[in-house]
Amino acid sequence: MPLPTNTHRLAEALFAPRSVALIGISDDAAKTAGRPLRFLRKHGFAGAIHPVNPRRETVQGERAYASLDDVPGTIDHAYILVNTPSVEEAVADCARHGVAVATILAAGFAEAGEDGRRRQQRLVELAGAGGMRLVGPNSLGVVNAYRALTLTANASFLTDTLPKGRLTVISQSGSLLGTFLSRGGARGIGFAKMISVGNEADLSVGEIGAMLADDPDTDAFLLFLETIRRPEEIARFAALARHAGKPILAYKLGRSEAGQELAVSHTGAMLGSDIAAEVFLRRHGIERVDHLETLLEAAPLMIGRAPAAGRRARGVGVVATTGGGAAMVVDRLGVLGVEVAVPSAATAERLKTAGIAAEPGRILDLTLAGTRYEVMRAALDTLLAAPEFALVVAVVGSSAQFNPELAVKPIIDCAGNAKPIAVFLTPQADATLSLLAAHGVAAFRTPEACADGIAAYLRRTQRAPEAAIDAAAVARARSVLQEAPGEVLDERRSAAFFAALGIPPVASITLDLDGTLRSLPFPFPVAAKVLSADIPHKTEAGGVALGIASPQELGERARVLVSTVRERRPEARLDGILVQPMTAGVAELLLGYRRDPQVGPVVTVGMGGTLAELYRDFAVRMAPVSAAEATDMITELRGAAVLSGYRGAQAGDVAALADAVARISMLAQLPEVVEAEINPLIVKPAGGGVTAVDGLVHQARD
Amino acid sequence: MPLPTNTHRLAEALFAPRSVALIGISDDAAKTAGRPLRFLRKHGFAGAIHPVNPRRETVQGERAYASLDDVPGTIDHAYILVNTPSVEEAVADCARHGVAVATILAAGFAEAGEDGRRRQQRLVELAGAGGMRLVGPNSLGVVNAYRALTLTANASFLTDTLPKGRLTVISQSGSLLGTFLSRGGARGIGFAKMISVGNEADLSVGEIGAMLADDPDTDAFLLFLETIRRPEEIARFAALARHAGKPILAYKLGRSEAGQELAVSHTGAMLGSDIAAEVFLRRHGIERVDHLETLLEAAPLMIGRAPAAGRRARGVGVVATTGGGAAMVVDRLGVLGVEVAVPSAATAERLKTAGIAAEPGRILDLTLAGTRYEVMRAALDTLLAAPEFALVVAVVGSSAQFNPELAVKPIIDCAGNAKPIAVFLTPQADATLSLLAAHGVAAFRTPEACADGIAAYLRRTQRAPEAAIDAAAVARARSVLQEAPGEVLDERRSAAFFAALGIPPVASITLDLDGTLRSLPFPFPVAAKVLSADIPHKTEAGGVALGIASPQELGERARVLVSTVRERRPEARLDGILVQPMTAGVAELLLGYRRDPQVGPVVTVGMGGTLAELYRDFAVRMAPVSAAEATDMITELRGAAVLSGYRGAQAGDVAALADAVARISMLAQLPEVVEAEINPLIVKPAGGGVTAVDGLVHQARD
């Protein structure tokens, strides 16, 4: 997938400009708006630097230009440092002068409400009119360590050295540039490029990533995300990076509601679901990590190692010079559901042959054998060669601090293996961490980040297989939609809609509102529900009666239903009484489909019932999914044991369930569907299929 | 609670010996068994050091004694460094020579199986015979920074300085001494005492803690635990520490099954339940943290601050110079269920008056106001004074690294407040962390540890109120037990047992095995179950029939029950058919009571049913509990919403449920009960009480 040449020119202007202008640079080098000049000089940027400040002849001892008109030659990249109200003029100026790209420091745009959004839109228009691209607003700048380009206002760049490395950071938080520069610097982790994308008014995370996918200085991408903007560009970036064999890791805020709210108010983004964002990232092979430092530490596990094709050994082997230290990692891995495997008999035998007299067990504890190069080396060689392990964890204790030649050197000497080694050092040992970083070994400062990074590595798989779309079924479902009058389909139409899609509904007949029964095509007991497109949640409106045993009871309870609902929801139009047989199966599940405002169509399957809802036991994927992926989703449910014959009970028809999940996910082909849900879907014993008992469909109407 | 004088003498011999002997010290200072001499000399221990090595005249250039017989004067503390097979003789020697306390390095005792356990027992006996106390075996030693006592083999003590501090570490893992020494050293956190307790053959975590509770050099205790040994001594330690106003924090392995297994195999301890250990620690005011570094970082939040008496403001206020950095902490706090509160209108007004022009919200983001002392100081003063906050989080960005005078100095100047400040610095800033440590401010390196420490602080409460015991009920329950023939009570006797305790059982009658019905004191439908003390899990044995509608069906299904059970469990003795009315309520719960092998009696309440079991939705406490504590437990359940009237459903009788929890917890008064369970307990609508439908009681029999 070659990028057009102008993309390369843009990347050059952005990260390797021959000339930069600092618009509104302050004379005070300590001030935010004064820092970029100081940093560029300090780190020895070799290109032309043009300070622009209409109020001063010199800035920080250098000649300042009154305006861009006075600046000689062309400007590749301008950093606009003026206050919010002056940004528009500065952008217009830059565009007029043929600047290729401008980065904007000021905040107060889309994240500051409707007015700000409009101001931001004007910036994009002004830039676009001159063919100029924008980074930000609200951007702390752009860094390229290989060009000593520190076009940034982040205070951490006051550091004396700018360590070069092979990681590129793309961040929605400008603060993170300093966080990673300083934390990485202390332990030998350097960076290729760093960029603070701010509000992404123009250039987005995805577009910037895509233009760097073939960057020869970059081996992996680290994303710090508060939200997902322009998912299609992120998807393109991910595809290019995958093609180039470069992993992308992401830390994303928003696991909690408080965090989600902050992200929205902080970035002015739309509120999407965090889990939808997570499955979006995973679908595109972007691994989300849970801990901040994992983002800094885990990339070497993945660099140069393609995701596994299909299922493979997932066991983790552990070798340690400290049992207690290793136990912290193993305990945490257990919490994350990662299997720490005991060496096989063959591996145990090979360890013995290698002269390693350690107890066989989850941790190959070398404490008794003594901390020596030969012992550690033989242990690592043996574990790395063992087919039962997908990855080896090496935990090194106190010797890591003053004697890395004993147990750390052998790790470095094994680092070229196709299987990765994850290292946790129990003491503070920055020099040793630097040594490991220099040799491309993933080393972790905390047992928690170590386990987090390992789990992320093991989650990596090839892209999900393409889902097969039943086009005829989708077309039939569309016709049902087109005949439906409003935004919400009533239960009868919903049933027809899902039936068209290939998900069988429960039998039903519709009676008049007085519940008068002529004949019933199924036996008692039955359930009765008011039929109304205006009442999506019938139970809460008092519109459902269960376990009705006779025609007489049906009539009585139908009348109660109607009067209750009329009292509670007087505005609702009632179209009849829907009667269905009482249905039972092995389990009740919930299927959901939704067009997430950030990332698009997602499909959900969860255990049904109130408790499962409270426990949030559901699995989510980008839609559509194949039946195989649907089966994976079902397996993920904590309540899935119920489907596979829990405690001697009957097993459920998982194949039919997976088919239903795949079918509801095909709604991704019907953009007019905003949301759809089947709750409950009854799963019958194996071979018996599934039955949709109640459903809900929302369609978009102009 | 004064300690006897000999405890003080023991503490002196242990941590402030006038003379130490190094039994089996190696000439090679790099070897584990050679390190203690090197370390003691390096750090300038002022007491007498007596190297003992029968095979050499000098060791590391010093005179070595051939045996203890040659050593002049008395020895307070001997470190036994010989190999496992020679330990016994060394212990006997030490005991014979009147050594006060011996610490044993070698492993290969209780953690190494039955033989090892016996060897360990002999060590205790040999020591006891001479009135000598033991630390270990499997101990990496004892450190007292205030006496330059580095009687340890942990390689990290090769460090040049031994930073003094006010934290004392008691660890079951010897490796942790080096982990904390080095990690603390890098950021200005020092220690008073450190001890690796090894297998706790004699001196336990609890006894050592108790003797240090009034240590003038110690402000807080940090425990690294793999298991709980001698809980009564830990309880005594906790009481003394509470009396002395010193917090105890603990990191405990075993959250996962893999971790639990490791702890057992690593320490030779009994397998208790991790959750039981956690509630044991909490009951005694020992706060368990989740992340390793939290243990190093969180103590200053608690030092000098007594746990809250009863409920108080639990909201957390956040002030930051970096919105992105603060969002990481807030997001994590949200995941942990900690409420980050928005400032009240009054607080917002005060902030405005103080000239702080920040947006009101969950994070008081000072980015726009600029990072200045006055702004940060005014913000902190205002938030600390606001009654809606129990704690204030301060997140400082890049300025923390090179300009701590801007936003860190004001934190230090506010550190004396009764409310604690938790600090997260986004950049690597070791000098600033040291500055904060020197002023007793809790500073965290990662957002995850910061949130973890805050959650631990907010969990601290005064001790739970004493549970009221219904002695008459307990006595009645005991009589039921005494009449029961075997270890397991059959369902009828179990019902009588719980009824005696004050938990009403469902009505029932017992029929002959042929199900012949004479008269039924309750209406159909009914449930029928085989009655047998040999079949605790009747459903799995095919011994339960539900929803029986008529006398005829009862007879038929009773016969099927009996034949099924006779086929599946031919050895079981069947005593009849128990018939009960079908009962329903607002919710089904599970009550459990168990004597945990590590920590003793614990009570459990959980949501009932298969899904709840799979989701592990239960709350656990040390038994007995008061009704108030039982109510807290119920509130903790994720499924508790069902009890309080979820989505318009009826609310349940939570008071009766809490009473039932308190009553089953009274079994702590009946040591003969090993385990008891009611499953399900039906909770009726408010005012309707609870009904025990099925129960199980195990009693200990010799």
Side-chain angles (χ1 to χ4, degrees), chain A residues 376-436:
Chain A
M376 187 67 166
R377 178 66 197 257
L380 281 169
D381 282 339
T382 310
L383 295 188
L384 286 167
E388 65 268 31
F389 301 126
L391 174 150
V392 173
V393 188
V395 181
V396 184
S398 301
S399 75
Q401 199 181 352
F402 300 114
N403 301 99
E405 72 282 4
L406 299 178
V408 174
K409 179 74 165 42
I411 296 170
I412 289 168
D413 293 345
C414 291
N417 199 287
K419 270 179 210 170
I421 306 177
V423 180
F424 168 52
L425 305 182
T426 65
Q428 180 93 18
D430 290 348
T432 306
L433 288 173
S434 298
L435 194 65
L436 288 162

Side-chain angles (χ1 to χ4, degrees), chain A residues 9 43 163 182 238 313 409 437 445 447 494 496 641 669:
Chain A
R9 269 199 219 128
H43 297 292
S182 61
K409 179 74 165 42
R445 274 195 84 262
S494 289
Q669 306 287 318

